[in-house]
C-alpha cells in the first residue's frame, strides 16, 4: 500500500517551505492540491509526477483522490498552504481514514508535515506580536455557525488573548469583521495594536500597523491575516511587540511577592470594569480605590476632576506641593512612607497637636480645630479627608473666607450625618483639583489609597499597552 503525506507548504515564499516538505515533494509519485498552490512548488516536482489540482471548495474530492492514488501503491503528497493542520487538509484526511476503516480495510500510512502558517509569517513581518498566549479564529461561517464564532470572539477578547483572524472577509461576508471589531472594543483599549498582512510571503505582500479603534475593515480582503494584540501589546519603532515578561523580570528582579499580587489584582480589576476607555489618571485612582475596598461600585461613585490626579502629581514633582494634610491619623498611616520620602513630601494630621485640646469646645470638633491649625500653617497643602465630614465642611468655609487655597482636595469622609452635604460643598471650587467618593461611602483607607494614587502616578504609564503593571 502507498502512503499519504499531508504537507504544509507555508504562506507562499519558497524560502518558507521546510526541508522535510521539499523532500516529500521531490520524491512524490503524485501531488494533490488546490490549483493556486502548485505555482509555489512546481520547480521542485520531479518529472512524470502526477499532479492533480482542483478549484476551491473541493477539499473532500481532493482527499478521495489522495486515497485512490495511495491505494495504487503511490507515494502521495497532499499540499496545503501554511500549516496543513490549521484550517488545512490534515483533519479531513485523518477523519476520512477513520470513517473508511468502519466499513473497509484501509492500510495506508498517513504522515503530517508541519508548515509555517500564515499567521506566523505575518507575525514575523510585523515584529513580535505573538509573544504571549494566543488564539486563532476563522470568520468563515461555511462550516461553523456564526453564533459559535461570535462566542469564540467574545472569549478571546475577554481572555486577553493575542488573536489571529483568518478568512476575515469575502465578497459575501462583509459585516462579520465589523462585528468582531465592535466586540473587541468592548474589552480592549482603543489603542490596542492591530497588524494585518495581505499576501504574506508573496510577491504583492502588504504589511500594515494600526490600532483597534483606527482599524478599517474595508482595507482587508480574503488574502489578509489580522493580528490583534493583548492588553500588554505595543508598537515601538514600527514594530508590533507583545512582551512575555522576560525583560522586566530580568531588569527588576521580578518584583516582590506583595507587588506581584497587587499587579495581578490591578489586571483583574481592569478586566472587569464596565468601561475600557477611562482617562489614564482617573483609571489609576479607580484601580487603587477598588483594590483597597474590593467594591466595584467605586466605578460609579468615584469622581475626579479632569486631569486631577495628573495635575496633583505634577505639583508634587515640581516641588509646588510639599504637604498632605489629613483629617485623622489613620489616613496619614495609610500613605506610603517610601513614596513620601522619595518625593520629599510630609503627611501631617493635627489631631494630636496640643493646641487642639485647648481650642475644642461644644461648638467645634477636634477635627475641625485640626483643619483650622493646618490651614494657618499649610494653606496650600493637599487636604485628604477619610473620616470627618465636619472637617471637610470647615475647610470649605475657610476657602470661601479666603484663608485657604488648597493644592487639591480628596473628599472621602464616611458616615450618615452631613456626609453627602460635605461632598457637595466641595464641588463649586472649580479651580481646585478634586477627587470625591460620592454618597455615604468613604473611609480612611480610601483617602489614603487615593493619596497613593497621586504619589505613584508615574507608575500609571505601565497600564498602557506594552507595559507590565
Amino acid at each position: 500500500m502507498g502512503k499519504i503525506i499531508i504537507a504544509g507548504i507555508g504562506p507562499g515564499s519558497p524560502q518558507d517551505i521546510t526541508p522535510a516538505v521539499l523532500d516529500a515533494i521531490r520524491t512524490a509519485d503524485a501531488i494533490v492540491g488546490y490549483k493556486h498552490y502548485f505555482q509555489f512548488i512546481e520547480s521542485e516536482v520531479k518529472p512524470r509526477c502526477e499532479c492533480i489540482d482542483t478549484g476551491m471548495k473541493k477539499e473532500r474530492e481532493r482527499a478521495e483522490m489522495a486515497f485512490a492514488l495511495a491505494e495504487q501503491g503511490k507515494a502521495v503528497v497532499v499540499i496545503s498552504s501554511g500549516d496543513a493542520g490549521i484550517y488545512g487538509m490534515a483533519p479531513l484526511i485523518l477523519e476520512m481514514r477513520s470513517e473508511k476503516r468502519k466499513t473497509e480495510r484501509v492500510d495506508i500510512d498517513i504522515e503530517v508535515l508541519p508548515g509555517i502558517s500564515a499567521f506566523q509569517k505575518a507575525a514575523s513581518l510585523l515584529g513580535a506580536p505573538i509573544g504571549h498566549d494566543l488564539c486563532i479564529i476563522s470568520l468563515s461561517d461555511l462550516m461553523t455557525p456564526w453564533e459559535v464564532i461570535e462566542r469564540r470572539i467574545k472569549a478571546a477578547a475577554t481572555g486577553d488573548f493575542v488573536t489571529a483572524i483568518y478568512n476575515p472577509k469575502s465578497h459575501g461576508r462583509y459585516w462579520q469583521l465589523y462585528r468582531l471589531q465592535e466586540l473587541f472594543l468592548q474589552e480592549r483599549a482603543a489603542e490596542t495594536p492591530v497588524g494585518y498582512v495581505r499576501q504574506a510571503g508573496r510577491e504583492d505582500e502588504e504589511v500594515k500597523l494600526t490600532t483597534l479603534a483606527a482599524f478599517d475593515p474595508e482595507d482587508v480582503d480574503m488574502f489578509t491575516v489580522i493580528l490583534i494584540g493583548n492588553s500588554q501589546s505595543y508598537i515601538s519603532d514600527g514594530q508590533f511587540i507583545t512582551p512575555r515578561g522576560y525583560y522586566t523580570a530580568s531588569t527588576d528582579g521580578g518584583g516582590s511577592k506583595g507587588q506581584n499580587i497587587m499587579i495581578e489584582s490591578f489586571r483583574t480589576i481592569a478586566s472587569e470594569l464596565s468601561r475600557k476607555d477611562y482617562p489614564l489618571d482617573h483609571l489609576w485612582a479607580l484601580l487603587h480605590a477598588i483594590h483597597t475596598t474590593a467594591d466595584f461600585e467605586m466605578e460609579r461613585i468615584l469622581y475626579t476632576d479632569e486631569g486631577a490626579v495628573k495635575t496633583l502629581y505634577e505639583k508634587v514633582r515640581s516641588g509646588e506641593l510639599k504637604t498632605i494634610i489629613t483629617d485623622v491619623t489613620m489616613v496619614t498611616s495609610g500613605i506610603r512612607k517610601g513614596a513620601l520620602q522619595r518625593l520629599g513630601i510630609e503627611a501631617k494630621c493635627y489631631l494630636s497637636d496640643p493646641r487642639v485640646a485647648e481650642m475644642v469646645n461644644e461648638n467645634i470638633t477636634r477635627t475641625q480645630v485640626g483643619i483650622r491649625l493646618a490651614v494657618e500653617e499649610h494653606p496650600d497643602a493637599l487636604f485628604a479627608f477619610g473620616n470627618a465630614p465636619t472637617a471637610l465642611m470647615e475647610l470649605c468655609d475657610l476657602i470661601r473666607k479666603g484663608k485657604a487655597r488648597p493644592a487639591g482636595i480628596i473628599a472621602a469622609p464616611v458616615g450618615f450625618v452631613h456626609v453627602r452635604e460635605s461632598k457637595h460643598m466641595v464641588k463649586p471650587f472649580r479651580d481646585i483639583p478634586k477627587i470625591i467618593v460620592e454618597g455615604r461611602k468613604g473611609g480612611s483607607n480610601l483617602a489614603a489609597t487615593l493619596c497613593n494614587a497621586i504619589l505613584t502616578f508615574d507608575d500609571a504609564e505601565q497600564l498602557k499597552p506594552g507595559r507590565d503593571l
Side-chain angles (χ1 to χ4, degrees), residues 72-306:
Q72 298 171 23
K74 295 182 177 182
V76 182
V77 174
V78 178
I79 57 172
S80 279
S81 68
D83 181 274
I86 301 176
Y87 306 124
M89 291 292 292
L92 171 58
I93 290 176
L94 291 171
E95 282 184 289
M96 186 172 285
R97 183 175 66 175
S98 295
E99 287 299 311
K100 285 178 175 292
R101 283 179 170 172
K102 292 179 181 178
T103 57
E104 59 185 283
R105 180 176 177 178
V106 179
D107 190 19
I108 295 175
D109 290 333
I110 296 176
E111 181 181 2
V112 180
L113 296 179
I116 296 173
S117 179
F119 85 88
Q120 293 172 291
K121 180 66 174 181
S124 70
L125 295 167
L126 290 163
I130 55 175
H132 215 305
D133 299 335
L134 70 145
C135 65
I136 307 167
I137 298 175
S138 169
L139 295 193
S140 173
D141 55 3
L142 291 174
M143 301 293 179
T144 307
W146 175 254
E147 291 78 8
V148 175
I149 296 172
E150 182 158 319
R151 283 205 307 272
R152 292 172 180 171
I153 293 169
K154 291 177 180 177
T158 303
D160 200 29
F161 286 96
V162 175
T163 306
I165 307 300
Y166 275 58
N167 304 310
K169 196 176 179 185
S170 68
H171 295 300
R173 290 184 295 104
Y174 68 93
W175 58 267
Q176 287 88 342
L177 189 53
Y178 284 94
R179 177 60 175 159
L180 178 141
Q181 183 182 30
E182 177 185 1
L183 292 170
F184 264 80
L185 280 169
Q186 292 172 10
E187 301 293 337
R188 305 278 175 92
E191 64 268 24
T192 300
V194 172
Y196 51 109
V197 180
R198 184 178 184 277
Q199 298 283 27
R202 300 176 186 176
E203 197 171 302
D204 48 352
E205 172 185 279
E206 295 178 48
V207 181
K208 296 186 180 181
L209 266 176
T210 184
T211 63
L212 187 58
F215 172 63
D216 182 5
E218 293 300 320
D219 198 30
V220 164
D221 63 16
M222 65 186 295
F223 299 106
T224 307
V225 174
I226 304 166
L227 285 160
I228 303 172
N230 68 12
S231 61
Q232 301 303 301
S233 302
Y234 64 105
I235 297 172
S236 177
D237 297 324
Q239 300 284 293
F240 184 164
I241 303 169
T242 300
R244 178 71 174 88
Y246 299 118
Y247 180 77
T248 53
S250 64
T251 54
D252 65 11
S256 68
K257 184 175 181 180
Q259 179 74 4
N260 290 337
I261 291 172
M262 188 187 78
I263 286 168
E264 290 305 313
S265 298
F266 272 28
R267 286 179 176 146
T268 300
I269 293 165
S271 70
E272 295 183 18
L273 294 175
S274 63
R275 278 182 56 186
K276 309 298 176 185
D277 59 346
Y278 288 113
L280 185 60
D281 73 332
H282 178 83
L283 176 62
W284 190 241
L286 179 59
L287 290 175
H288 277 77
I290 297 175
H291 181 250
T292 296
T293 63
D295 184 359
F296 275 83
E297 192 184 5
M298 290 296 149
E299 190 173 8
R300 183 180 64 83
I301 65 175
L302 181 69
Y303 166 85
T304 64
D305 282 338
E306 183 178 354

Side-chain angles (χ1 to χ4, degrees), residues 303 305-306 405 425-434:
Y303 166 85
D305 282 338
E306 183 178 354
R405 181 52 53 184
M425 290 173 68
V426 175
K427 290 184 178 178
F429 305 123
R430 295 182 178 178
D431 57 342
I432 300 175
K434 298 175 291 298

Side-chain angles (χ1 to χ4, degrees), residues 329-343:
T329 54
M330 283 293 289
V331 179
T332 310
S333 299
I335 301 173
R336 295 182 185 174
K337 302 303 180 288
L340 292 171
Q341 185 175 7
R342 172 171 55 88
L343 294 166

